[in-house]
Amino acid sequence: DIQMTQSPSTLSASVGDRVTITCRASQSISSWLAWYQQKPGKAPKVLIYKASSLESGVPSRFSGSGSGTEFTLTISSLQPDDFATYYCQQYNSYSRAFGQGTTVEIK
Amino acid sequence: EVQLVESGGGLVQPGGSLRLSCAASGFTLSTYAMGWVRQAPGKGLEWVSSIDNSGVITYYADSVRGRFTISRDNSKNTLYLEMNSLRAEDTAIYYCAKISTVTAQFDYWGQGTLVTVSP
């Protein structure tokens, strides 16, 4: 099965900071990668699909890049509403594995 | 408006069974593949199972294969997850999610239903 590894596990940042989260796949997944945001007590929400496509309604400060085995999620200017946990997920193979998550905390 | 509403969670003893339901509205269920994702208390997301739009093709995580069964009734706009031989480690919030047809990400999620496996 394909394994997904995110880094860092926790990130402390301030409003206005540029934030980058990395996700690595154990084998090539082409561009079949999504990024989700989850806030406490809520269901996840998709931000990015196909590695770099912005889901409808998601602010343009979110962007994704990468292909193959290395991917990044970038928040260009962190806003108060962005403090949350972020997960990558591969869907190249049937197993649809998630990364372990990255929590973005207030510095 | 797309809505997914899970039900059927609760407290069950180890070795017991439970059936979760996910009622879909705002879209034609028979057009879309669907999935279940769970989240243990304080932990990350774990994909559990997926099913194609017709219900013919199913996939399972190794952790639940042979114990859980995903199914759907498109005429009732409902997705199911039958869970047998439940273990303490199955304790989690279970989310159902819709899979986008072309780009295949989970694009809509329900609010989740809590399953607690405890004596």
Side-chain angles (χ1 to χ4, degrees):
Chain A
D1 285 357
I2 299 174
Q3 311 298 322
M4 306 301 293
T5 304
Q6 281 182 240
S7 61
S9 297
T10 306
L11 188 160
S12 296
S14 302
V15 172
D17 284 354
R18 182 181 181 89
V19 165
T20 299
I21 299 168
T22 298
C23 179
R24 289 187 174 86
S26 59
Q27 64 189 73
S28 177
I29 58 170
S30 185
S31 296
W32 297 109
L33 184 104
W35 290 96
Y36 300 86
Q37 177 193 66
Q38 187 181 33
K39 296 182 179 178
K42 300 293 187 182
K45 167 190 168 185
V46 64
L47 302 174
I48 301 287
Y49 62 92
K50 219 58 202 311
S52 60
S53 295
L54 193 67
E55 183 78 7
S56 176
V58 174
S60 59
R61 63 181 179 271
F62 292 94
S63 64
S65 64
S67 66
T69 61
E70 290 234 3
F71 303 86
T72 58
L73 173 71
T74 299
I75 309 173
S76 60
S77 178
L78 198 65
Q79 298 302 300
D81 191 49
D82 302 338
F83 292 97
T85 299
Y86 294 85
Y87 295 92
C88 63
Q89 184 204 25
Q90 71 83 16
Y91 48 102
N92 178 69
S93 75
Y94 77 90
S95 70
R96 292 184 168 262
F98 288 90
Q100 79 277 19
T102 296
T103 299
V104 177
E105 299 179 334
I106 301 173
K107 192 171 184 179
Chain B
E1 179 194 4
V2 170
Q3 283 200 332
L4 298 168
V5 179
E6 301 94 337
S7 60
L11 176 63
V12 61
Q13 292 189 340
S17 298
L18 215 52
R19 187 175 84 156
L20 305 183
S21 299
C22 172
S25 61
F27 66 103
T28 303
L29 183 65
S30 59
T31 304
Y32 297 93
M34 299 288 292
W36 289 95
V37 175
R38 69 184 180 182
Q39 187 168 36
K43 302 297 185 182
L45 302 173
E46 180 188 13
W47 169 78
V48 172
S49 183
S50 299
I51 187 168
D52 75 331
N53 66 309
S54 63
V56 172
I57 301 172
T58 58
Y59 302 107
Y60 298 94
D62 289 346
S63 58
V64 306
R65 187 177 293 114
R67 301 187 299 122
F68 289 13
T69 302
I70 190 171
S71 63
R72 61 195 296 159
D73 187 336
N74 289 336
S75 67
K76 294 183 177 179
N77 293 316
T78 304
L79 175 73
Y80 302 101
L81 186 68
E82 185 78 37
M83 304 185 295
N84 298 317
S85 302
L86 282 161
R87 307 165 179 166
E89 55 265 35
D90 296 318
T91 294
I93 296 173
Y94 285 74
Y95 297 100
C96 71
K98 172 182 165 290
I99 296 172
S100 174
T101 40
V102 175
T103 48
Q105 74 277 16
F106 286 130
D107 59 356
Y108 289 92
W109 296 64
Q111 85 290 348
T113 187
L114 177 62
V115 172
T116 303
V117 184
S118 180

